[in-house]
Amino acid sequence: MSAHATPIPMISHPCGALSGQAEVPGDKSISHRALILGALCVGETVIAGLLEGEDVLATAQAMRDFGAEVTRDKDGTWHVNGVGVGGFAEPATVIDCGNAGTGVRLIMGAMATQPITATFTGDASLNSRPMARVTDPLALFGARALGRSGGRLPMTIEGARAPVPVRYTVPVPSAQVKSAVLLAGLNAPGETVVIEKEATRDHTERMLAGFGAEIAVDDAEEGRVITLKGRPELAPQTIAVPRDPSSAAFPVCAALIVPGSDVRVPGIGLNPTRAGLFETLREMGADLSYENQREEGGEPVADLRARYSPDMTGIEVPPARAASMIDEYPILSVVAANATGDTVMRGVKELRVKESDRIEAMARGLRANGVEVEDGEDWWIVKGCGAGQVPGGATVETFLDHRIAMSFLCLGMAAKSPVALDDGAPVATSFPIFEPLMAGLGADIRRQG
Ligand code: S3P
């Protein structure tokens, strides 16, 4: 699961109009949570539409290693027979989370208040990412962590034998940290309180409520205050995972920049804590509409329709919106390169600790392809070339980051010359059907070598 042995170089050629229906896979964030919460209740949770990308498959395997039974039907329905809150078994093997920050951080939280010890590792990208942001609050429950210097994986967590509930203000806008604390709070007696100053994706709160936990969310002066009552008996659920807005972003943005395109992306989760990109694109002048708005499995959902938009202009993205589109800045920068004027992105320091340093990775690749970029610690500005005016022609490094890879493949579709990647293999972590899906719409992506 860790680090792909063989890189897959790819090249994306300028293509004709993209058209048709893009059925993107299930939401990655919701998929991880469905497996973990399913493993934490007694009885069978049934999951339809689970993302079968490498990140989520690693979480499925981890849940087996902690004692849950996780199976897949031939039709793609998943079944989790859980062990109950506090019922994790001690894994007999190292937990390899591959490339998945969400997987490792949420699982660490879930096991940290159980009397077991587990060792976690991942690929070169995950092993370089900061874990203290999670292990610091987990220590308050009584868990102990021993990792490499700088709080990096591989890392062993010794779960608290007698966990105590905590009150914790999350110091960075991170749904992973918030969720790790809430999952740890499940097996602590009494009330665990998590406060976030900026709202981040709330799938954990919604799903905990769905599984029957007592959880309250209050908007207070200090921020969003989430109160969870520990040691609930969770009830197994039937979950339909909506399609991932972060994956939908790629065919949507490609359609906006490739002349003549008209693409429908059905059934996209439009939880307001995730939909910031689409709002931003509309403000830039994108021809993007929501059709058939509805609710599915406790999450708002709609069909997106994106049409070629040659008159987009750069905007200053409100920093307050950053958390609701944090994974979408790379593909937004590709749209920005095809707009006129500057697109200014501030308050985005978190981009530097994702699967790669995403400001650095995008700035380097965009510059190599003839786009002017300015950047600082927590901001960057993309200077638009205008519709169809990106020169392209360069090979970029993807740094084991799926969203960097897919963003540059989209750049190539609308550039004057093809854009190549040193390694497209990471795409399989979140969007394993990206190549056939984009080819079906009319893209021209080829594997090289
Ligand atoms: C995620 C939270 C975000 C996001 C990641 C998925 C989640 O990370 O970037 O892709 O599912 O909770 P942070 O919590 O570090 O911001």
Side-chain angles (χ1 to χ4, degrees):
M1 194 74 59
S2 282
H4 292 269
T6 325
I8 306 177
M10 292 185 186
I11 186 161
S12 176
H13 289 263
C15 61
L18 300 171
S19 67
Q21 174 116 325
E23 295 191 351
V24 307
D27 190 283
K28 180 153 74 71
S29 293
I30 295 175
S31 295
H32 284 295
R33 288 158 172 82
L35 289 168
I36 296 169
L37 286 183
L40 287 173
C41 50
V42 177
E44 180 165 285
T45 286
V46 180
I47 310 168
L50 188 86
L51 167 62
E52 295 179 343
E54 289 171 0
D55 277 15
V56 174
L57 297 180
T59 291
Q61 182 54 42
M63 292 304 98
R64 291 186 191 108
D65 294 335
F66 281 101
E69 199 184 294
V70 184
T71 56
R72 178 190 191 274
D73 287 346
K74 280 205 188 91
D75 71 355
T77 306
W78 286 72
H79 301 262
V80 184
N81 266 289
V83 293
V85 169
F88 269 2
E90 184 164 277
T93 181
V94 171
I95 304 298
D96 186 346
C97 289
N99 190 252
T102 305
V104 76
R105 291 181 173 136
L106 269 55
I107 297 168
M108 280 180 175
M111 61 75 57
T113 47
Q114 307 198 37
I116 53 173
T117 297
T119 300
F120 296 89
T121 192
D123 68 5
S125 156
L126 189 58
N127 287 0
S128 71
R129 296 178 68 184
M131 293 298 146
R133 53 176 54 199
V134 173
T135 54
D136 285 352
L138 297 184
L140 304 175
F141 287 97
R144 293 202 308 171
L146 188 61
R148 286 193 303 127
S149 50
R152 319 270 155 180
L153 302 180
M155 178 176 276
T156 297
I157 309 273
E158 189 184 35
R161 312 275 132 170
V164 290
V166 311
R167 182 182 178 87
Y168 188 70
T169 302
V170 185
V172 284
S174 167
Q176 293 177 358
V177 176
K178 167 179 68 177
S179 301
V181 177
L182 288 171
L183 292 172
L186 275 179
N187 199 40
E191 284 185 347
T192 286
V193 180
V194 187
I195 299 144
E196 56 176 4
K197 288 176 226 146
E198 288 172 51
T200 63
R201 66 191 68 195
D202 63 355
H203 306 301
T204 303
E205 296 93 302
R206 286 177 189 246
M207 207 180 279
L208 277 169
F211 273 82
E214 244 182 75
I215 182 165
V217 181
D218 295 302
D219 287 315
E221 215 168 290
E222 52 188 325
R224 251 181 112 241
V225 181
I226 307 152
T227 307
L228 172 73
K229 193 150 178 243
R231 307 240 161 113
E233 200 165 307
L234 300 181
Q237 297 298 303
T238 297
I239 298 172
V241 180
R243 299 180 196 274
D244 197 324
S246 300
S247 296
F250 297 102
V252 162
C253 289
L256 299 177
I257 61 174
V258 174
S261 298
D262 186 351
V263 169
R264 265 184 93 249
V265 197
I268 297 306
L270 285 178
N271 180 317
T273 61
R274 297 286 300 283
L277 170 74
F278 305 122
E279 209 175 324
T280 301
L281 292 171
R282 282 169 149 182
E283 287 173 10
M284 293 172 75
D287 185 349
L288 176 64
S289 51
Y290 295 173
E291 298 173 353
N292 198 11
Q293 293 193 43
R294 56 204 185 268
E295 184 149 314
E296 280 176 13
E299 296 275 349
V301 160
D303 305 336
L304 300 184
R305 183 170 182 192
R307 280 174 277 202
Y308 177 53
S309 304
D311 299 320
M312 291 185 286
T313 49
I315 63 163
E316 169 126 20
V317 182
R321 197 180 285 162
S324 68
M325 54 180 287
I326 195 66
D327 290 335
E328 283 68 73
Y329 283 93
I331 187 62
L332 173 65
S333 71
V334 168
V335 173
N338 282 277
T340 50
D342 293 357
T343 296
V344 182
M345 298 165 275
R346 297 190 194 279
V348 290
K349 197 163 64 202
E350 279 295 298
L351 291 178
R352 296 208 179 269
V353 291
K354 297 295 178 186
E355 286 82 332
S356 68
D357 175 340
R358 286 183 170 160
I359 297 178
E360 174 70 15
M362 288 308 300
R364 275 210 219 176
L366 285 170
R367 285 181 190 129
N369 283 287
V371 183
E372 243 185 277
V373 181
E374 290 172 14
D375 71 299
E377 184 49 27
D378 74 339
W379 61 271
W380 53 318
I381 298 172
V382 174
K383 301 192 166 283
C385 301
Q389 297 306 308
V390 173
T395 299
V396 303
E397 271 184 89
T398 57
F399 303 101
L400 288 178
D401 189 329
H402 53 133
R403 299 202 198 282
I404 302 302
M406 290 185 278
S407 296
F408 281 114
L409 291 172
C410 291
L411 186 76
M413 294 172 203
K416 291 182 177 169
S417 300
V419 173
L421 312 179
D422 64 340
D423 183 14
V427 169
T429 62
S430 69
F431 201 157
I433 58 166
F434 181 77
E435 290 166 84
L437 181 142
M438 293 308 301
L441 299 176
D444 181 4
I445 299 170
R446 304 173 202 171
R447 292 187 175 205
Q448 294 182 296

